Amino acid sequence: PSRGEELIPRPDGQAKVFDIVKIPLFNPDGSRHALVVAGRDITERIAMQESLRKSEEFLRMLIETTSEGYIRISSHQVIIEVNKSLCDMLGFAREELIGGSASAIVDEAHRARFAGLVTEPSTTHKNYSIVLRKKDGEKVFTLCSPTVLPVQNGDSPGAFAFFTDITER
């Protein structure tokens, strides 16, 4: 048996994508007898997947090009993702932050507050003053906009936050 996707043109000029399964049938002597072909139209699924891919690409571009620092953390405050702006703001390379603890970049006096903000769903879409620490130890005063991600299968997948540097203010 073999399986694959095939583009099948229609008489009206449009084409449909089918998930095709082909199963050869053989005579007792091993010669080919017939070919059973079954297919289902997956055109809509393919279009949705492409739309999702483009949407994800667009969101990735937004996160990477915003001047705001971005961080995504697990429910245990392990850093999963950061953008270039946060790395530049704090003087770290992305590789130095990913997999580390979010509390390591939060000023000690603000760690408990930050931990509460990224676990309490009611904090979503509000701005909070949080002091971060650069790689060299210097303080960065920020406005933090946290969003706690919805619980899935009884476990919180974590949170994400944007940081606006307000040190000059």
Side-chain angles (χ1 to χ4, degrees), residues 113-134:
R113 184 174 191 204
F114 181 75
L117 293 176
V118 296
T119 57
E120 180 57 49
S122 66
T123 62
T124 300
H125 307 301
K126 296 178 184 175
N127 289 325
Y128 300 87
S129 296
I130 294 289
V131 177
L132 301 180
R133 286 283 183 171
K134 289 185 174 186

Side-chain angles (χ1 to χ4, degrees), residues 69-73 77-83 85-87 89-94 96-111 114 118 130-142 144 161-163:
Y70 167 80
I71 189 170
R72 185 166 57 101
I73 61 175
Q77 295 193 32
V78 174
I79 300 172
I80 297 169
E81 183 178 24
V82 294
N83 70 353
S85 293
L86 186 67
C87 293
M89 185 186 299
L90 301 178
F92 286 97
R94 191 180 309 252
E96 293 176 292
L97 294 174
I98 303 296
S101 172
S103 65
I105 63 168
V106 178
D107 186 67
E108 191 173 331
H110 289 249
R111 286 181 185 157
F114 181 75
V118 296
I130 294 289
V131 177
L132 301 180
R133 286 283 183 171
K134 289 185 174 186
K135 186 175 181 176
D136 65 9
E138 186 180 333
K139 291 182 178 185
V140 179
F141 296 85
T142 69
C144 174
F162 285 93
F163 297 94

Side-chain angles (χ1 to χ4, degrees), residues 69 74 104 108 118 139 148 155 158 167:
S74 74
E108 191 173 331
V118 296
K139 291 182 178 185
V148 178
D155 187 30
T167 304

Side-chain angles (χ1 to χ4, degrees), residues 21 41-42 46 54 58 64 70 83 113 135 140 155 158:
V21 177
D41 186 350
I42 59 169
I46 297 293
K54 286 180 180 179
F58 179 73
E64 283 303 318
Y70 167 80
N83 70 353
R113 184 174 191 204
K135 186 175 181 176
V140 179
D155 187 30

Side-chain angles (χ1 to χ4, degrees), residues 6-18 41-44:
E6 290 188 27
L7 189 64
I8 300 177
R10 291 175 32 151
D12 63 4
Q14 293 184 345
K16 295 282 188 176
V17 180
F18 282 81
D41 186 350
I42 59 169
T43 307
E44 192 173 308

Side-chain angles (χ1 to χ4, degrees), residues 52-70:
L52 180 60
R53 186 194 63 75
K54 286 180 180 179
S55 180
E56 288 173 348
E57 197 174 275
F58 179 73
L59 289 174
R60 171 76 29 231
M61 182 198 63
L62 283 176
I63 288 170
E64 283 303 318
T65 61
T66 184
S67 60
E68 309 295 309
Y70 167 80

